[in-house]
Each structure stands twice: as C-alpha cells, then as structure tokens.
Amino acid sequence: MFRNALVTSSRRQSRLCYGVAHAMQDASSRTPYLIPRRSAAVVVTTTAVFLWYLSSDLVHNDAVHTLPSNSGSALSKRTSSTGVDESGALCAVVWGSNKSNLIGPQSPGIETFQTPVNAKWLENVALRDLALHEKHAACVDARGDVCQWGDGFSCSKSDVKAPKITLRGKNIVKVQLTGSRVYALSATGRIYVFAANEEQQQLPKPRISSATSWDLSGWTGRERQAIDFVEIFPKERLNWGEKLISIAAGSDHLLALTSEGRTYAHPINKDANSHGQLGLRRVEIPAPSNLKDAAGRIAIELVPRSVASPSLRESSPTVASEHLNVMDDRHIGFSDLLGVKVSQIAAGDRSSFVNTSSGKVLGWGANEHGQIGLGSRITLDTIIIPTEIDLARNIPVSTKSKCLSIYAGGDLTCFVAERNAQESHTYVDTLCCGNGQWGGLGNNTFSTFQGNPVRVRNVSGLHEFDEQKQKLSPIIPHAISGVTHRSYFTVSRHSVACWPGASGRDLVAWGLNHDYQLGTGKRTSLNAATILERPEGDRFILGRRKATVRDLSGKVWKNNVEVEQCAIAGHGNSVVYWKLR
C-alpha cells in the first residue's frame, strides 16, 4: 500500500518526501516523492538475461578497470574467451551484436561476434558496475567514476568512439540506464541523473535566480564537473544512518530503496505511469520556467491509460492537465522521486515489484503478457494497485514457500523462490512469467502469455553436497541479468545463469539468440536453460583471481585486489567483465 506525498524542490536542489507504505491501498492515496538536484538518470532495456548461482563468497561492485590507451586492435590476437590475454592481463569477454559499438567500441568494423572472444578495450580494468542499453552503455570504475560509450552517447565523427569518463568524484557504485538518461547511485546514498547523449550533457550558461542573489554552484561543486547533472534526494530528512542503497529502472520510471526498507518511485517522463507502474497517480514536480502562473512546484496526475478518460481528468481539481500538455519532459530535472517498506526492488519496462523481508512479493504495472505473475485467470493488461503475487499457487498447502529475490526485465519476470516441506529437503526454484515468445520462460515452450510463474528447466530444484554441513543444500541463484527489447512486431530476450563450480560459477543461457547473444555460436533460440561452453571446448565458468586493478584513466588503483568475472545482458549482446569482490 502506498501513501502519496508531496515534493518540493528547486532547480539546483531537490528534496524527497517519504510516505510509509500500507498494503494494497488505492493508488490515489499518499505516497512519498524524491526531488532532484542536478544529477544523472538512465534506465536500460535490452535483449538478454543472465543468472548466477550463489556460493559462500559474495561479490561486491567495488572494482576498477583501466581503459586501454593503445590504438591497436581491441580484440586479443588469439581466439580466447577466458577473460585473460596471452600476457596475463585482465580483459572483457564479449559476444553478440556490435551494431552500436557497445561491446567492441574500438572495432567498429565488426558488427557481430558469433562466439565469446576476449576484448582488450577493457584491458586490466575491474569495475564496480556495468550496464548496456540499446545504443549506449556506462560503467563505474574502482574509484567510482562513470564512463560512457556507444553510438547513442558519442557525438564524435570518428569511426572509433572510445569510452569517455563523464561523471567524476561522486563515488558511484551502481548505474541504471534508460533510452535518454543515466541514473547513478553513490556509496553515500545519493542519486544523480544526467543525459545519455554527450552533446546534451553540456553545462548550461550560469544563471542567477531572480528570487535570490546567491549563486550556489560553488557550494555544490558543479564548476568542477564537465557535464550537467541533477541530484535526487529526499525532501524530508532520512532517519539517522538511513540512506538509499539500491535503484532499479524501467523504460520510463525508476524505483529506489533505502537501508530501512522505504521505497520510492520516480517518474522519468510523462509516460512514467502509462500502466500504473508508479503505484500512485498524483505527483508534484518542479514547476518549469515556462509556466509563469506556477510557483515552485506543480501538482499533476499521471493517469494509467487503461483508466484514463476526459471526464476523469476534468473532475479532479488537482490535475493541471493544461500544464502537463505544455511541459517538456526531456529535461533531466523533470520530476522527483516519489514512496513503501521492503527488502528488494525490481523494475521491468513498464512494471514494478517489491519483495518483503518475509518473502512476500507485490507487483503492479503492465500485465498484457502476464509478467506480473498473478495467474492465468487474471488477464487485465494493467494492474494499477500493488497486488500480492502467490508463488505457492502450484505446490501443496503443507509446503512453505517464500521469495528470495526478484529479477525483472522488459516483459519477463524471474522469481527465485524457496519451498520447504516438513521432514523434506529445501528446494530453490527459478520461476518465470511473462512473454516467452523466444523461449525466455525456460520451460521448453514458446508462449506469448504466461501469467502463472513456471519453473525454469535445468536450473530449478538442484542440490549440492555441503561439506561443512555434511548434507545436501539447495543451489541458490547468485544473480540474474536480463532485459528485453520491445519492437512493433517482436519481443525478444535471452537468459543466462551460473552456479558454483570447482573454480567459479557456470554460465547457463536460454532465450532469444538471433544476434548470437547466447554465446553458442548458432542463431537458434533456446527454450530451456543450457550450460554454455567456450569456443575452446571447455565449460564457461566465471573465474576469480587477484590482480592489479587500474581506474578508467589508466592509473593503478590497488595491487593484489580480489576480482571476479560477472556476466550481464544487453540488447542482442552479452559481456563478461571483471568486477571487484
């Protein structure tokens, strides 16, 4: 249940208003909003999904890699996919489409990598995070600086469009991408948003507000930045020690989570609530300068299309429909963050999910493919009220079940659920629902609608012998990376997974494979999870090691740093990079 709250902010400084969530309340009730300062925001939609299985060691996004300064080939001379070149240097492993120069920015002549291959453009670089969108990409190095590249980012006329550091000195730990923006979360809990395109990042000419003679740019440090950005943070002070710890972006909305389980929603543009994915309707945003009759902030109502009607808009006194029509939502400071109490958040293209500490899941937003997971009997295209998802629908009543984690991308949703019957082993299943047209459900079928979450074959209900406990223990997915690219005619996706092996985690894939994004060397899509093999013939196991880590400028950050390979999915491509543990 969400409570609507109002937000107040200025162009330079924005605040976030928090509202406590109450279960299953009407979307028009109060909810908290997050207000932007100058910061960066981006959401990602792509064509792939990756899944890793949890071992006793956790991986943290705190690593740095250096960008190569040489002008030679971005690919290793040998056909290798180990992530280590012939000289022992770290490098990324890439495969799939390179049409926007995302996985081979220094090899613009190569449109497709049919099999996994070492890419030296990330040589000796370990990262905190990396995200791929359709035409642009971003990563975070060990020092917390953000680097961007791709045809959608660079305005350079050169064929070789090298990655470029854009946001510096903010200690960023996580990035999320949309088609037009980049959202970056810092280690201190601040969210920054900036344009995805290099040309649109240019700083505006300095202006002093007519309401004050103070110019605060010197206090905010903006004069030291090379790009224009906005910071989004709470209007009301968070509790002592509380901070924002996670962000998840859809195509038009963003979710943010605090260390105390409070959740916020952020409308990126006017389409942010087209399918009720915000979980609320009434929001307050900073008043644009072209509205002379609006002072400070303006209240608008973002009505889902399924319930929108002229009479509804006209009957609401808080809806400034004439203002909404003239507002420009292309600016990075269009709105604030808006607020519930949970342990995890996830966002699909037009849907939202939260997981509580007790393992209960709530979902809302677009549901035309059954991606909310409410069952085959619920055929509504839009779920505007946060609704509990029953993952124990197909198991005996005596069996206890709870959700461990949620992963959403595009029109496909994955739930990692634990089931435990009395006097029996504990099982962990990976459940998928949504659009499985290209095999993304992983259950040996190709279906465009799956409202009831189904088990992914070959990665659900698995066990391994735990030598410390001297008994069988369930294999728990470590991570799932997946997104979907929606077009007028098709919805495409693929998934990849891995579990603990002798030297790391196996990589497993399923789903769409039209651009060789599964790494099998063939274009045949897979409707069941399949263990990947390297071109050399051995299993694709994500490794770990100690190495000298450099930042994106090429300077040594630290020596003897523990790093681990991490796989992520993009629009028709995939990347395995070295990540700080």
Side-chain angles (χ1 to χ4, degrees):
M1 229 178 243
F2 292 103
R3 307 179 66 188
N4 286 340
L6 300 180
V7 209
T8 60
S9 75
S10 63
R11 177 178 177 80
R12 294 285 174 86
Q13 189 175 14
S14 54
R15 298 268 230 214
L16 172 70
C17 177
Y18 171 75
V20 181
H22 300 280
M24 315 243 225
Q25 201 175 31
D26 182 68
S28 63
S29 60
R30 296 195 171 181
T31 307
Y33 301 4
L34 188 66
I35 304 176
R37 231 182 186 180
R38 300 226 101 203
S39 110
V42 169
V43 183
V44 183
T45 56
T46 54
T47 355
V49 179
F50 289 106
L51 169 66
W52 294 268
Y53 280 81
L54 181 64
S55 67
S56 58
D57 297 322
L58 297 179
V59 180
H60 303 282
N61 295 341
D62 286 339
V64 174
H65 288 293
T66 55
L67 296 179
S69 58
N70 57 4
S71 58
S73 172
L75 299 180
S76 175
K77 295 180 180 179
R78 298 181 182 179
T79 304
S80 174
S81 62
T82 60
V84 180
D85 67 10
E86 58 275 8
S87 65
L90 302 179
C91 56
V93 182
V94 302
W95 62 93
S97 172
N98 189 42
K99 295 178 182 179
S100 296
N101 296 313
L102 296 184
I103 62 174
Q106 294 182 347
S107 302
I110 303 178
E111 290 191 357
T112 304
F113 299 101
Q114 296 186 9
T115 57
V117 61
N118 285 353
K120 300 185 71 172
W121 58 277
L122 277 180
E123 185 177 9
N124 283 329
V125 175
L127 303 174
R128 295 184 178 187
D129 196 20
L130 187 150
L132 301 173
H133 204 268
E134 185 176 8
K135 295 184 178 180
H136 66 98
C139 68
V140 185
D141 74 0
R143 297 190 191 278
D145 294 336
V146 177
C147 177
Q148 295 177 259
W149 67 94
D151 291 350
F153 161 73
S154 178
C155 58
S156 172
K157 296 181 179 180
S158 172
D159 291 336
V160 178
K161 300 178 181 180
K164 180 179 179 180
I165 299 177
T166 52
L167 187 67
R168 299 174 181 266
K170 298 301 181 182
N171 197 15
I172 303 302
V173 295
K174 185 178 180 63
V175 289
Q176 291 281 279
L177 309 180
T178 65
S180 62
R181 302 176 191 177
V182 178
Y183 286 90
L185 175 67
S186 74
T188 57
R190 297 189 174 189
I191 299 177
Y192 302 92
V193 56
F194 49 96
N197 183 269
E198 182 180 16
E199 187 175 1
Q200 297 174 0
Q201 292 179 355
Q202 297 180 5
L203 286 167
K205 295 181 180 180
R207 294 183 304 174
I208 299 179
S209 173
S210 59
T212 176
S213 59
W214 289 85
D215 183 358
L216 301 179
S217 60
W219 294 83
T220 61
R222 281 189 54 201
E223 76 285 357
R224 297 191 297 270
Q225 287 295 333
I227 66 169
D228 187 24
F229 66 91
V230 171
E231 180 184 350
I232 303 177
F233 64 103
K235 175 184 177 181
E236 297 179 353
R237 290 183 179 274
L238 296 178
N239 296 331
W240 180 261
E242 183 183 16
K243 66 177 182 178
L244 295 168
I245 60 172
S246 180
I247 55 176
S251 57
D252 302 299
H253 75 295
L254 180 83
L255 301 179
L257 177 67
T258 75
S259 55
E260 293 189 2
R262 293 197 268 184
T263 305
Y264 300 89
H266 168 69
I268 295 174
N269 53 40
K270 299 175 186 177
D271 293 327
N273 205 36
S274 61
H275 291 73
Q277 58 265 47
L278 290 180
L280 51 95
R281 293 187 191 176
R282 298 174 185 175
V283 300
E284 274 198 356
I285 63 175
S289 57
N290 59 343
L291 291 182
K292 298 181 180 180
D293 58 335
R297 304 190 60 77
I298 182 174
I300 64 173
E301 187 167 356
L302 299 177
V303 182
R305 294 172 183 170
S306 62
V307 297
S309 66
S311 60
L312 178 61
R313 290 183 176 271
E314 293 174 0
S315 63
S316 176
T318 63
V319 178
S321 57
E322 71 282 1
H323 290 162
L324 186 62
N325 293 333
V326 300
M327 291 179 63
D328 184 3
D329 59 1
R330 293 173 296 178
H331 188 268
I332 56 177
F334 169 69
S335 80
D336 323 340
L337 271 185
L338 320 167
V340 194
K341 191 164 182 178
V342 299
S343 61
Q344 186 198 0
I345 55 176
D349 270 358
R350 298 155 300 128
S351 55
S352 303
F353 302 88
V354 295
N355 186 23
T356 68
S357 57
S358 61
K360 294 183 179 180
V361 185
L362 298 177
W364 63 97
N367 191 49
E368 67 268 48
H369 299 287
Q371 59 265 45
I372 302 298
L374 299 178
S376 57
R377 295 183 179 181
I378 306 298
T379 58
L380 296 174
D381 290 346
T382 301
I383 306 298
I384 62 175
I385 298 176
T387 305
E388 183 175 351
I389 301 168
D390 184 11
L391 298 180
R393 189 179 295 108
N394 297 324
I395 63 177
V397 178
S398 59
T399 302
K400 297 181 179 179
S401 177
K402 69 175 182 179
C403 181
L404 302 179
S405 55
I406 317 168
Y407 302 92
D411 298 324
L412 191 68
T413 309
C414 291
F415 306 94
V416 178
E418 178 185 271
R419 51 189 172 93
N420 187 4
Q422 295 179 355
E423 300 180 356
S424 179
H425 292 297
T426 298
Y427 295 86
V428 174
D429 296 327
T430 299
L431 307 174
C432 282
C433 60
N435 191 332
Q437 181 179 0
W438 303 103
L441 296 173
N443 67 335
N444 285 345
T445 65
F446 296 95
S447 173
T448 59
F449 181 93
Q450 181 61 50
N452 192 35
V454 294
R455 297 177 66 195
V456 177
R457 298 290 182 89
N458 305 328
V459 294
S460 296
L462 302 179
H463 285 83
E464 63 179 350
F465 186 77
D466 190 329
E467 295 184 357
Q468 293 182 348
K469 298 180 179 179
Q470 288 296 303
K471 67 176 183 178
L472 289 176
S473 299
I475 296 179
I476 304 175
H478 175 262
I480 299 175
S481 171
V483 286
T484 199
H485 172 59
R486 302 183 70 255
S487 66
Y488 290 104
F489 306 104
T490 63
V491 178
S492 59
R493 61 185 55 77
H494 76 271
S495 312
V496 179
C498 98
W499 59 79
S503 60
R505 299 185 176 99
D506 284 310
L507 203 57
V508 181
W510 69 93
L512 182 73
N513 199 25
H514 288 180
D515 292 305
Y516 300 95
Q517 60 262 53
L518 291 184
T520 60
K522 302 178 181 180
R523 302 186 70 178
T524 304
S525 299
L526 302 176
N527 60 7
T530 304
I531 297 177
L532 291 185
E533 293 186 356
R534 300 182 186 273
E536 297 86 345
D538 55 340
R539 289 163 55 191
F540 202 129
I541 298 178
L542 302 182
R544 58 185 66 164
R545 60 179 295 176
K546 291 185 178 181
T548 297
V549 171
R550 297 177 178 270
D551 60 20
L552 292 170
S553 300
K555 299 179 180 179
V556 174
W557 178 63
K558 284 184 181 180
N559 295 312
N560 202 31
V561 179
E562 291 189 0
V563 296
E564 184 175 37
Q565 286 182 309
C566 178
I568 68 165
H571 281 273
N573 46 38
S574 305
V575 175
V576 173
Y577 68 97
W578 290 95
K579 182 177 184 179
L580 293 177
R581 297 187 62 199

